[in-house]
Amino acid sequence: MADQITYDAFEAVDIRVGTITDARPFPEARTPAIKLTIDFGAEIGMKSSSAQLTVHYRPDQLIGRQVCAVVNFPPRQIGPFISEVLTLGMPDEDGAVVLVRPDLRVPNGGKLF
């Protein structure tokens, strides 16, 4: 288990829900990945993300799916692509990424608390 943190430290991580509007293969990535465009609603807008989801997901399966992402990390250069948010996942028993997403549909931009 990680060290305990304060509630203020938790609040500093801005985790929001968004809907994937575009998903494309990312063959230039060192590790197989998919380029995502995610709509986080009016306040945050559209953001891009590279996610290593290729074991359990195909790009066409991701369109319209809601996901959770950290939206307040600085953008990160991944090869020729800029990833603006960190799409969240958890490892399955083999270490492949399974997306973190709400159980029910919620408004885009909703903040995790």
Side-chain angles (χ1 to χ4, degrees):
M1 190 167 100
D3 292 339
Q4 289 188 345
I5 63 170
T6 65
Y7 189 78
D8 287 344
F10 168 73
E11 279 195 320
V13 181
D14 193 359
I15 300 172
R16 305 287 183 118
V17 65
T19 300
I20 298 171
T21 61
D22 191 35
R24 298 172 189 252
F26 188 12
E28 304 90 354
R30 269 187 261 149
T31 304
I34 298 173
K35 294 185 220 181
L36 305 173
T37 302
I38 306 169
D39 179 2
F40 289 98
E43 180 185 347
I44 298 168
M46 305 291 272
K47 298 291 182 181
S48 61
S49 181
S50 171
Q52 297 173 358
L53 304 173
T54 59
V55 172
H56 294 299
Y57 308 97
R58 291 188 328 264
D60 62 308
Q61 295 174 313
L62 294 169
I63 307 297
R65 186 178 296 233
Q66 287 195 302
V67 293
C68 295
V70 176
V71 298
N72 65 334
F73 283 151
R76 184 172 176 199
Q77 181 87 38
I78 301 174
F81 184 74
I82 301 289
S83 188
E84 299 174 291
V85 300
L86 175 65
T87 303
L88 298 175
M90 309 205 71
D92 69 7
E93 59 276 352
D94 297 319
V97 177
V98 175
L99 287 168
V100 172
R101 60 192 189 127
D103 188 35
L104 301 173
R105 194 144 193 90
V106 297
N108 286 337
K111 183 173 170 50
L112 180 79
F113 58 87

